[in-house]
Amino acid sequence: DPKIIQKPKYLVAVTGSEKILICEQYLGHNAMYWYRQSAKKPLEFMFSYSYQKLMDNQTASSRFQPQSSKKNHLDLQITALKPDDSATYFCASSQDGTGFTEVFFGKGTRLTVV
Amino acid sequence: GDSVTQTEGQVALSEEDFLTIHCNYSASGYPTLFWYVQYPGEGPQLLFRASRDKEKGSSRGFEATYDKGTTSFHLRKASVQESDSAVYYCALNSGGSNYKLTFGKGTLLTVTP
């Protein structure tokens, strides 16, 4: 059974629209992350949350907003979508945010902006 | 900033061939180094890691040795199988309280029987 659930698996959006990518983890972890994988770039770190608090934001654009309603949820809201936002977005989690525990990744949401 | 360079973008081998994927890094401080594997339709999975100079990480027949002198963490396997076909990523974490992994571009390994 997948322990990190990402919804939807595939998403097609129109330029200028807004979408929310869902992530829930059932590993009992206290730290959660978002990474992005596009065709032209390697996996890129976007955000890290620890105990529902934002720890690090490496995303240049404020169009990307993580939302943590529960400890095991970290959704990603993307506004004013652009074709360059097309990528696979991976949610990940670890026991804590110290860097000494293994990071587990979900299967990703593939976003296509047309 | 931190960076990871994987020399090979694609590697094509036959079963039982020897595998080497080169990984060099640039980072401040003393990073932890990782190899991840990604199968189609899946997220990356940790293969193994190493945290100090000369430490060898290994899993499923794959191994790599942390070399601080040459800033390298090359992945090797003596005899690959078709099931090893996947994308392999070298990554690092510079430490600190914010767990940020910096990944290389990945190497697509294709093994034919």
Side-chain angles (χ1 to χ4, degrees):
Chain A
D1 292 334
K3 301 299 185 184
I4 300 179
I5 298 173
Q6 290 190 243
K7 299 175 185 176
K9 189 171 183 178
Y10 301 101
L11 186 57
V12 179
V14 175
T15 296
S17 67
E18 171 184 315
K19 292 294 180 186
I20 296 179
L21 281 54
I22 305 295
C23 177
E24 305 170 67
Q25 56 90 3
Y26 295 95
L27 294 164
H29 289 167
N30 297 305
M32 296 186 71
Y33 317 89
W34 278 101
Y35 283 78
R36 174 171 52 194
Q37 185 175 46
S38 63
K40 298 180 180 179
K41 295 182 180 180
L43 274 157
E44 294 177 284
F45 172 88
M46 299 179 73
F47 300 97
S48 65
Y49 267 66
S50 182
Y51 294 93
Q52 291 188 268
K53 292 183 180 178
L54 178 66
M55 302 303 291
D56 194 3
N57 177 358
Q58 296 287 321
T59 306
S61 173
S62 60
R63 297 186 298 107
F64 295 85
Q65 291 292 328
Q67 300 172 341
S68 181
S69 59
K70 300 179 187 178
K71 192 180 89 168
N72 69 326
H73 282 235
L74 186 65
D75 300 335
L76 180 63
Q77 180 185 40
I78 314 174
T79 58
L81 279 160
K82 303 177 180 181
D84 274 354
D85 298 330
S86 298
T88 300
Y89 291 81
F90 288 99
C91 177
S93 70
S94 63
Q95 183 61 48
D96 56 43
T98 63
F100 298 107
T101 57
E102 182 176 347
V103 177
F104 294 83
F105 287 80
K107 295 189 176 187
T109 292
R110 182 180 291 181
L111 171 66
T112 302
V113 183
V114 298
Chain B
D2 298 343
S3 67
V4 175
T5 301
Q6 289 179 237
T7 310
E8 298 88 355
Q10 296 187 52
V11 174
L13 296 173
S14 300
E15 281 193 328
E16 300 184 9
D17 280 352
F18 189 91
L19 169 71
T20 299
I21 299 176
H22 295 93
C23 172
N24 288 89
Y25 69 90
S26 173
S28 56
Y30 212 128
T32 297
L33 305 176
F34 305 83
W35 276 101
Y36 276 81
V37 58
Q38 185 178 24
Y39 299 100
E42 302 283 329
Q45 303 170 19
L46 179 65
L47 201 50
F48 55 79
R49 72 179 129 192
S51 301
R52 58 187 183 275
D53 193 23
K54 307 307 180 201
E55 180 180 356
K56 182 193 287 187
S58 64
S59 176
R60 310 185 216 171
F62 292 91
E63 62 179 38
T65 300
Y66 193 135
D67 190 329
K68 196 170 189 298
T70 59
T71 61
S72 67
F73 194 53
H74 305 317
L75 181 68
R76 294 185 168 92
K77 187 174 185 182
S79 176
V80 294
Q81 301 300 311
E82 187 178 9
S83 57
D84 293 328
S85 297
V87 179
Y88 291 82
Y89 292 95
C90 185
L92 68 82
N93 169 248
S94 290
S97 60
N98 301 322
Y99 199 97
K100 171 191 169 185
L101 288 166
T102 300
F103 285 86
K105 290 186 177 181
T107 299
L108 173 62
L109 171 64
T110 304
V111 181
T112 52

